[in-house]
Amino acid sequence: MRTIRRLTVATTSLLTVAALAACSSGSGSGAQDAASTTPVSGGSATWAVAAEPSCFAPAFDDVLADRAITRNFVDSLVYQEQDGTFSPWLASQWQTSDDGATYTFSLRNDVKFSNGAVLDAAAVKANLDYTRDSAHGSSYAGLLGSVKSIKADGSTLTITLSQADSSLLSSLSSVALGIIDPASIKDGKDLCTPGKKLAGSGPFVLDSYTRGSQVVFKQNTDYAWAPQSLSHDGPAYLDEVTYKFIAEDSTRTGALQSGQVQAISGVPALSVAGLTRSDDITYTDGPASSSTFGLTVNGSSENAPWDNVELRKAFRDSFDLDTIVKAIYKGQKTRAWSWVGKDSAEFDTTLKGSWGNHVDAANTALDAAGWSTRDSEGFRTKDGQRLSLKVTYDADSVRDQRDTLIEAIQDAAKQNTGIEVDFTTPTWAALSADIAAGNWSVYPGSYGKVDYANSVIGTWAGYFYGASQWKPTEAVDLAQDAVTTTDADQYAKALDGIQQYLVNDQALFIPLVESTFQIAAGSALHGTGFDYSSGVPDSNYNVWLSK
């Protein structure tokens, strides 16, 4: 069990700004931020990323990796520091009532969207009201589930809660609740294919977007409201930032090595050794403080026979995850034990060694459940039906050889227990429509670190089971306890209970690997880092190019 816990999800990470540099596996000239030269303004930087964003509008930006791009033009009401505390951003200050049910924010009076519209309390209210209205279909509505009303009066925003919500500031600091011009909001999901009509207040302005190719941002020359803890104020250093969408790992890595791009994210494990041998490239692995990558299994009767917990446990224990992870990632990633990242203070260490690779017990459970015969291909059957588990992973989200990981589990499950894993990679549009209709079985993914408790409420009570009569009630109830309690011990107990329920007791989430993002950058690029709340690469506000 942990000895140091915080009440909110703003838990102190084991990796602070200084420690992030120590995470670098680079054997070259050292971490980028160790450069002794002074930042200079000007120049253009190009990134190569593994996937094109599924959506550019914060309310529908459901793919975690996309936040690294969205943050360039979207600011938030408050800023979450690397130590987990909160500081002013669009709001210059705020007050909380004694009962924790009312938050009063005073907004800066000098902020404008990139199209010239004023960012005032009414604009923030419009964004939050839009997201929390379930009719609009944002998967982040649950982050504002405790909100009773929002009032705007000039530069004053008052949020009244139905009950205390210890995670509200964490939610308001995230890209998911970032603020865009209310005029843009009217386009709703049409913003997923953006034009210049999508206006934020961030340090960069969306300049052009070519589907399947790239997105280009220009410097917001009027930007003057960065969080005070960042390394400078005023506009960003760079004049322009381009993100090229390059799905092929070797092509992305080659583009960095040849100097065609200055940085890449989604660095394949097999490429790390080669990259770090160069003095001209720095590699940094981000913190494992967000939720892990794993398999979310539908426990409702619509997913029969996998509504049987014994079958879910049998699948969970049908493969040797340690061996698979080591074989694929060559020591660059570690297997996960919980839905909570190992570097988070909320991680329940008692889960280590408590599940997985119990093949004999898995086979015994499957036999007892009546799946005791085999077909001509060696898969288990019952009454002529094959024991098959459909795993659908949207192609836009595949990174870090996660498809290879699932394929290895597919092979092991068949060989060890006769379970068929039917693995497909449809588009996000097709998969999200199936999830909304309740027509899903297993979804591979990770859910960031906006807030662990509210993530359960929004994800398991809302998003995944919005079309179902069934929900993982015990986990949702524990999450409600965590959100509303003012007692740190009760908060810790609730988070432990959620992890045990989802992973050990019900096998509704099968952790696979720690979810970290990586950055490899040329020696001329400085100032890159990671967003605390999600672990993704941060915006380019602090990034600069040496001359």
Side-chain angles (χ1 to χ4, degrees):
M1 302 296 290
R2 277 98 32 240
T3 56
I4 300 177
R5 304 291 286 268
R6 283 237 184 149
L7 180 59
T8 69
V9 168
T11 348
T12 301
S13 173
L14 299 179
L15 295 173
T16 61
V17 176
L20 281 173
C23 290
S24 174
S25 301
S27 57
S29 58
Q32 296 166 40
D33 291 333
S36 58
T37 53
T38 302
V40 293
S41 297
S44 301
T46 300
W47 289 71
V49 296
E52 183 172 359
S54 60
C55 188
F56 287 82
F60 304 106
D61 191 2
D62 295 329
V63 179
L64 185 61
D66 296 351
R67 296 182 187 179
I69 296 177
T70 306
R71 181 52 94 191
N72 286 283
F73 71 96
V74 172
D75 291 337
S76 293
L77 198 60
V78 297
Y79 181 74
Q80 189 168 21
E81 303 285 353
Q82 292 291 329
D83 66 357
T85 59
F86 299 95
S87 60
W89 197 349
L90 296 177
S92 59
Q93 61 181 0
W94 61 89
Q95 295 178 330
T96 309
S97 62
D98 291 340
D99 62 0
T102 302
Y103 285 74
T104 303
F105 296 90
S106 297
L107 272 66
R108 296 181 61 121
N109 57 16
D110 59 345
V111 180
K112 291 185 178 181
F113 293 107
S114 59
N115 60 5
V118 174
L119 195 160
D120 55 11
V124 177
K125 171 179 163 57
N127 277 261
L128 300 182
D129 280 344
Y130 182 90
T131 300
R132 72 191 187 100
D133 185 345
S134 59
H136 295 138
S138 172
S139 59
Y140 300 119
L143 298 178
L144 298 168
S146 63
V147 175
K148 183 178 179 180
S149 66
I150 303 175
K151 293 182 179 180
D153 181 9
S155 61
T156 301
L157 182 81
T158 303
I159 300 178
T160 302
L161 310 177
S162 57
Q163 55 191 2
D165 183 349
S166 61
S167 63
L168 181 65
L169 291 179
S170 183
S171 297
L172 293 174
S173 72
S174 72
V175 178
L177 298 184
I179 308 302
I180 60 175
D181 179 20
S184 301
I185 296 174
K186 295 177 182 178
D187 290 310
K189 289 190 175 181
D190 290 340
L191 291 174
C192 288
T193 305
K196 292 185 179 181
K197 63 185 177 183
L198 182 58
S201 64
F204 292 90
V205 179
L206 183 65
D207 182 65
S208 65
Y209 167 64
T210 305
R211 179 179 288 278
S213 177
Q214 65 181 29
V215 61
V216 179
F217 294 96
K218 297 286 189 180
Q219 182 196 72
N220 182 351
T221 56
D222 295 326
Y223 195 73
W225 42 86
Q228 289 187 356
S229 62
L230 299 186
S231 62
H232 69 110
D233 53 17
Y237 295 121
L238 295 171
D239 295 328
E240 181 179 281
V241 177
T242 299
Y243 288 89
K244 291 186 176 294
F245 314 134
I246 303 177
E248 177 60 42
D249 287 342
S250 60
T251 305
R252 200 166 57 253
T253 302
L256 175 64
Q257 292 172 317
S258 65
Q260 298 176 58
V261 302
Q262 285 72 53
I264 64 174
S265 63
V267 183
L270 294 178
S271 300
V272 172
L275 290 173
T276 55
R277 281 196 293 267
S278 171
D279 287 341
D280 296 325
I281 293 175
T282 298
Y283 169 80
T284 310
D285 194 18
S289 56
S290 62
S291 65
T292 60
F293 174 75
L295 305 177
T296 299
V297 185
N298 188 345
S300 72
S301 59
E302 289 95 334
N303 192 37
W306 299 101
D307 56 337
N308 183 334
V309 63
E310 297 306 321
L311 294 188
R312 296 197 300 268
K313 288 181 177 180
F315 172 65
R316 180 197 65 192
D317 294 339
S318 67
F319 49 90
D320 183 350
L321 185 57
D322 283 293
T323 297
I324 291 173
V325 170
K326 288 176 183 176
I328 293 174
Y329 295 107
K330 310 300 181 184
Q332 294 299 324
K333 283 193 175 295
T334 56
R335 65 86 48 88
W337 290 104
S338 174
W339 157 69
V340 172
K342 69 180 179 64
D343 289 335
S344 172
E346 284 98 337
F347 173 54
D348 184 352
T349 58
T350 65
L351 282 167
K352 285 186 175 181
S354 65
W355 60 271
N357 196 26
H358 299 303
V359 175
D360 290 343
N363 280 308
T364 298
L366 293 171
D367 288 339
W371 297 89
S372 55
T373 56
R374 306 277 182 130
D375 62 18
S376 60
E377 295 183 53
F379 293 113
R380 286 183 177 267
T381 61
K382 179 181 179 180
D383 300 328
Q385 178 188 355
R386 177 180 286 184
L387 184 58
S388 182
L389 189 62
K390 293 182 64 175
V391 178
T392 48
Y393 190 13
D394 61 287
D396 295 335
S397 297
V398 176
R399 64 178 178 89
D400 293 347
Q401 298 172 275
R402 290 174 173 179
D403 50 347
T404 304
L405 173 62
I406 295 171
E407 288 166 352
I409 291 170
Q410 180 183 49
D411 292 340
K414 177 182 179 180
Q415 179 178 342
N416 295 340
T417 58
I419 296 174
E420 179 187 48
V421 175
D422 181 10
F423 178 43
T424 58
T425 54
T427 64
W428 171 245
L431 178 56
S432 60
D434 284 342
I435 291 173
N439 182 29
W440 66 283
S441 182
V442 177
Y443 176 72
S446 54
Y447 307 105
K449 188 178 177 291
V450 172
D451 161 45
Y452 284 124
N454 263 326
S455 179
V456 170
I457 297 170
T459 301
W460 274 277
Y463 183 65
F464 281 119
Y465 295 105
S468 175
Q469 296 298 314
W470 184 89
K471 289 178 174 58
T473 304
E474 184 173 332
V476 174
D477 288 346
L478 286 168
Q480 291 284 5
D481 291 343
V483 167
T484 58
T485 186
T486 57
D487 183 275
D489 290 336
Q490 290 299 315
Y491 175 83
K493 182 179 179 181
L495 262 292
D496 287 345
I498 292 170
Q499 294 171 75
Q500 291 290 339
Y501 177 87
L502 292 176
V503 178
N504 247 351
D505 300 342
Q506 295 294 318
L508 292 168
F509 184 80
I510 302 172
L512 297 181
V513 292
E514 294 292 341
S515 181
T516 61
F517 288 80
Q518 313 83 31
I519 297 173
S523 58
L525 195 72
H526 310 271
T528 60
F530 298 89
D531 172 65
Y532 175 83
S533 68
S534 62
V536 304
D538 213 342
S539 82
N540 287 272
Y541 178 69
N542 276 336
V543 177
W544 57 280
L545 282 166
S546 54
K547 302 296 185 180

